[in-house]
Amino acid sequence: MPLARRKKVLITKDDESLQEADPDTPVYYIKQTGEIFKDYSSFSSRMSFYGLKIFQCETSGKGNLTFFEALESEKTEARVLDARFPEPLKAAVLRSVQWQVVGRLDHLVEAVYERFKDRYFEGERVFVDFGLSSAEDDSKETPGKGRYSVQIASVASPSKSVSTNGKRKASQMENGDDESIVPHDIYGDLKQPVAEVNALDDPKGYTYNVQLVEEGPNGTFSVVEPETHGDLRLGNTTMDVHCDLISRDRLAFSKSILKRFIRECVDRDAAVASPWIVKADIASKYNINQNMPEEVRRGVDAMKRLESDKRKKIIESKETTTVSPSKRPKRTKPAPTEEEKAAKVKEEEAAKAKRERDEVARQALTGCKRAVARWPIEDLDVSITEKEKSSGKPLVRPIPHRISEFPAPDSFEPLLMAWNFITTYGHAFNVSPFPLDMLEAALHHDTPEPCFLIDCLHTGIISSCRSVSAAITKNQVGVTSLVNEYNDEMETDDTVGLQQLVQSLTAFGSGWEKKAVNHETWCNALVSILKEHATVQTMPTMRPVLSHLLFQPGQDEANPESTTGWVSARPRERYYSLAFDLKISILAFLCDLSATGKAVHNAMETCETSITEMRKEKLELKKEQKRLADQLATLTAERRKAMNGAKKGKKKTAEVESTADATPPESVLSDHESDELVVAAVADLSMDTAPSEAASDELPGSSAMSDIIRTTPTRPVWWFDGVGCMTLLDQNGDYLYGTGKLFIQGPSEDDLALIDTKAKANPSIGLRREVEEGEGILGVGEWAWYETPEEVESYLKWLNVKGQRESALEKALARWKPYLIGGMETRHKELTTQTKQPENRRGRKSNTTTEARAPYLHYVNLYSTKQNQ
């Protein structure tokens, strides 16, 4: 049985209720172990346990395996062992082991090996090695030395008159037949010395008639014909030899092989003096007695009594050595009177009331429901104290901006995730970073004029999907999904008919991945991608998107204002008139599809290499900083004081002294000057390691899309600026922004279930969220944000740093606050500039129209080597 943490894995017992259950009751069955489970949860839990790589093969010792791998390894090893171990020797070894009382398995193996290493049995395949015999006179002429593979045909006992092991079998004595003596009948006590056993049954006195064998196909052996008796070295096939010329194959019989064989075939109880017992099925196979002999039983009982007596003596000796103190007589107290009982109850009630008053006062002072020695603690245990209320601490969270201000509230999260994905893997898509506001404005673009940002985005992402498309079998997944989903729906004149849409989509060309995707052809490639990869489940807006891209309303020649059905159209001409939410759904689907492509995979590998290099650089800087800090620590107080005085003197004479540009050699520097250099070096390294530590927290070029901290299980906070290929500062040191906002996400259904569970134990927790969030409370999956520095400052004042999560959030925001506030201010300035520009142009005429174009139309792709328009 496989081992787990050096212990055998126990098979679970079947549920007792299954014995009386209906035969048609469905159950869950594990074939390898025979376990039966009534419910799926227990079955899956057990399968998960078996799937862990914590198991070890008991036979071979191989580790880091699953249960089923370890079980298969044990079966394989058992089959190999069974094939290698000599079959005639198996019954003899097991008979000698049966009912033996030996402490350790190693000692048992040693005794069995010494007992059988020079004793051989009929039918056993061995080697006759003429180089082993030392009794043969070297001076005598011999045919030579050699090793022959033979099989023992018969065994002749040395003497039929002396019984082995000091006794004769009862069957032999009754029959008086000496010929029925079994060779090597030495199944007595293995603790008997080897010399005594050999004196009773000398292995050198046995004569073995061996017959030459040869190896056949598939590892089989056959007897060599014809049979001629004599010396094998002279070409004969049979010969009589003694044990000094015979040896076994080490792959078939050795101490390690013998130990594995015995361990597989025997078992023993954990009780003291328990004998080794051959397993029942194996004992039946080799006709081994399974009833414990009375002599062995008496010996086991005697050993158990002896062990029990030893333990009793140890306990008695410990009791006698312990000196018990003299017992004093118990003092009897008079029974309390009724007045004393009433007074005692009154004192207990007064003490209880005092404790309650003290607890109320303590909670009002500390704002915590339980006494604590250190802050911060669990956020749900913290409340605002009266002192904090009087000091003006906000009780309600500042109201954030809601997604109701967004044109398509249901599409806000897909848009945010798509922007973050594109910004993260901008190098893979060959698209330089841009703000979220710019992407939102570009998706609102609905004029026939091409939008360069939209063309760059879709061209880069669709190009990265080529590896995904080439890896699958060409089939029209989208067509099949549309037919299965909308086949039973009634068609109206307001939408393109399903049959018309399917026919047009089926006839649409394929093989787009073999052609170059540019700003003119990406719309056609988009339709092919949707036909090959999209389904109604992965893209619910698939039908309206394809209907709009492939068809347009037909015009009546007699009445241009009316329409006559739907006519085919070019996707390039129809894309920009798509609805805002449909464009977001297209972009989100393309991002999900490209995530499995080679471009994104290669980008992740590049990130891992970069982070490894940065961590190495960080370690080197840390070592250098520590070395200089140790050197600085060796300065004495007098030298530091003198160093400070030297600094003041240098400031006064700096205007009249002229110094060389280069630093003088270290040997010429004075002690004070060298100390100053050490201090300056430590300060410089501290500044160098700061950005390295910040960068090593995230994979460079990878997504930092994770919540900064959760203030409670219902309020995750997000900040997306600086992710991927976007930086927080430009070359001039000015702040940049990606979103310029601090986002707050509403709880998920699992979060609300967790709060409800805790609220059952403490009802005040359920009311706390309504009190703290007020009108700004968010629904499931709802988003909100702060976009001005004043709103962020108000949010920071509202946080209660006595809570663990809110304290961690406050520290994280303080760390990134300059970049967060700087990005918000930069965004506000750009929005203000865009608002004022049209007003400034009203009083003057302009011959050009480029100045009046929206900012997203001025986007320049810095990563593109060639801009295709």
Side-chain angles (χ1 to χ4, degrees), residues 220-237:
T220 60
F221 291 87
S222 59
V223 177
V224 177
E225 300 290 347
E227 181 177 340
T228 58
H229 190 73
D231 197 328
L232 298 179
R233 292 170 290 183
L234 299 178
N236 298 302
T237 58

Side-chain angles (χ1 to χ4, degrees), residues 618-643:
K618 176 183 174 181
L619 291 176
E620 294 297 329
L621 292 175
K622 285 287 187 180
K623 291 179 181 178
E624 183 66 17
Q625 184 181 13
K626 184 177 182 301
R627 186 185 68 81
L628 294 175
D630 293 341
Q631 184 178 351
L632 179 62
T634 58
L635 299 176
T636 61
E638 292 78 5
R639 294 178 65 186
R640 291 181 183 178
K641 185 176 181 181
M643 180 181 64

Side-chain angles (χ1 to χ4, degrees), residues 452-503:
F452 183 71
L453 174 58
I454 295 296
D455 291 342
C456 286
L457 281 181
H458 290 81
T459 300
I461 299 176
I462 291 175
S463 298
S464 68
C465 294
R466 290 179 176 178
S467 59
V468 180
S469 179
I472 66 170
T473 304
K474 295 295 181 181
N475 50 14
Q476 299 181 359
V477 177
V479 176
T480 305
S481 178
L482 288 173
V483 172
N484 294 337
E485 185 71 20
Y486 300 107
N487 192 29
D488 298 333
E489 289 190 4
M490 296 293 295
E491 298 182 358
T492 62
D493 296 337
D494 298 336
T495 59
V496 179
L498 178 61
Q499 184 177 1
Q500 186 179 6
L501 176 61
V502 168
Q503 290 177 354

Side-chain angles (χ1 to χ4, degrees), residues 169-189:
K169 287 188 175 182
S171 60
Q172 298 173 6
M173 296 176 66
E174 293 175 358
N175 299 331
D177 184 9
D178 290 342
E179 295 298 333
S180 63
I181 296 177
V182 179
H184 307 305
D185 192 10
I186 49 173
Y187 308 123
D189 189 2

Side-chain angles (χ1 to χ4, degrees), residues 26-47:
V27 294
Y28 300 91
Y29 174 66
I30 300 179
K31 182 179 180 180
Q32 293 86 340
T33 61
E35 295 172 295
I36 300 176
F37 300 91
K38 191 175 181 180
D39 56 276
Y40 180 76
S41 60
S42 57
F43 167 77
S44 61
S45 176
R46 192 65 174 176
M47 288 298 293

